Amino acid sequence: MKLLLYVACIAMCFCFGKCQSQTQQATDKIKSSAVYTYATPSPDGTGKFYYGREIAQVMGAAGASWLERSERQQEENTAFAVNKMNLQDSDVVADVGAGTGYYTFKIAAKVPRGKVYAVDIQDEMLRLLRERKQKEKAANVIVVKGTDTTTNLPPDSIDLAIMVDVYHELQHPQEILQSLRQALTSKGKLLLIEYRGEDTVLAIKPLHKTTVAQLNKEMAVNGFTLSYQGEFLPIQHFLLYSKTKVVNP
């Protein structure tokens, strides 16, 4: 009888713990969904809004050739952007939304004693990253499969996280920013390189451009503050954010 009671108690505790876990997951999901609003999608949009900004549709692996276009250096001055990151040779960097690794492998050459996490969610992009890593013998590049809601990066490990023309396409920006906060060290920085939304002449689809004011608003509620604004690139913002106290995640 005592054994049966013991087993029953263990089973009840397990079920209670499982129910608590499921309840917490449901609560987290509701809390997360509450920060997003929805409307009829505009062209190239998802119909999902975050702090008044409609989230853009994701560019799929079919756009890989555009990422590697020969004109990109001239159009965006990518080499200068990497130089302005002021990387130390032992830094640990995360290239979130790495795509084909256009920035990943340029950065890897700058941190020979460090490492670069190349994070993407698309299997085809991950395949291209692994193939390029092998081809370039870039032992300090680590390919990581993320999800819509997490970067899957080690906690308290990243000195610099970058997103190049990626942030506006994040389907769950709040969750990814919180994931990055956990991955960054206390002095870690987040760099956003985004096409200038203030430039109405720039021939980039409207939802793939962002303004500094909008980005600062979204960063602030997730515990980031602008520490450096560079407007030295031809068509993009160069915005460096530091970790601060979360006000209202």
Side-chain angles (χ1 to χ4, degrees), residues 19-223:
C19 289
Q20 275 191 316
S21 176
Q22 291 175 340
T23 301
Q24 183 62 49
Q25 289 175 1
T27 301
D28 291 343
K29 186 174 182 180
I30 292 170
K31 183 179 179 181
S32 170
S33 63
V35 303
Y36 302 108
T37 56
Y38 299 85
T40 302
S42 59
D44 203 44
T46 60
K48 182 178 182 179
F49 292 77
Y50 187 56
Y51 285 90
R53 174 184 62 84
E54 185 176 5
I55 296 170
Q57 294 178 11
V58 176
M59 184 184 74
S65 60
W66 187 79
L67 295 175
E68 295 291 335
R69 66 194 185 280
S70 58
E71 305 86 1
R72 189 170 181 182
Q73 166 57 32
Q74 182 179 358
E75 292 173 354
E76 301 179 5
N77 202 352
T78 55
F80 190 49
V82 173
N83 286 338
K84 292 295 287 185
M85 292 178 193
N86 296 322
L87 297 166
Q88 305 300 309
D89 66 356
S90 60
D91 278 346
V92 178
V93 182
D95 184 3
V96 179
T100 59
Y102 183 88
Y103 267 88
T104 298
F105 294 91
K106 289 178 173 61
I107 293 171
K110 298 278 188 180
V111 293
R113 296 196 300 117
K115 63 183 72 171
V116 183
Y117 290 98
V119 183
D120 211 283
I121 66 173
Q122 300 182 68
D123 289 336
E124 179 62 17
M125 292 299 195
L126 293 165
R127 183 186 66 80
L128 293 173
L129 285 166
R130 294 188 183 102
E131 288 179 356
R132 187 166 179 177
K133 173 183 176 176
Q134 184 176 15
K135 181 179 179 180
E136 298 193 15
K137 296 181 172 58
N140 62 339
V141 170
I142 302 170
V143 179
V144 176
K145 183 172 184 177
T147 72
D148 280 344
T149 57
T150 180
T151 59
N152 283 328
L153 291 167
D156 194 29
S157 64
I158 307 299
D159 298 305
L160 176 67
I162 73 167
M163 285 190 274
V164 181
D165 304 326
V166 166
Y167 180 74
H168 61 273
E169 293 184 356
L170 295 180
Q171 300 304 293
H172 295 85
Q174 178 164 293
E175 290 83 348
I176 292 298
L177 288 175
Q178 290 306 308
S179 175
L180 283 173
R181 268 187 61 85
Q182 295 176 5
L184 288 167
T185 66
S186 59
K187 295 183 179 180
K189 298 290 195 298
L190 170 61
L191 172 64
L192 299 183
I193 297 179
E194 286 277 327
Y195 293 115
R196 296 191 186 105
E198 299 88 345
D199 187 347
T200 57
V201 180
L202 180 59
I204 296 292
K205 294 178 180 180
L207 293 186
H208 291 267
K209 300 189 290 185
T210 47
T211 66
V212 174
Q214 180 67 33
L215 290 170
N216 285 348
K217 177 166 62 174
E218 296 181 30
M219 295 301 116
V221 296
N222 285 285

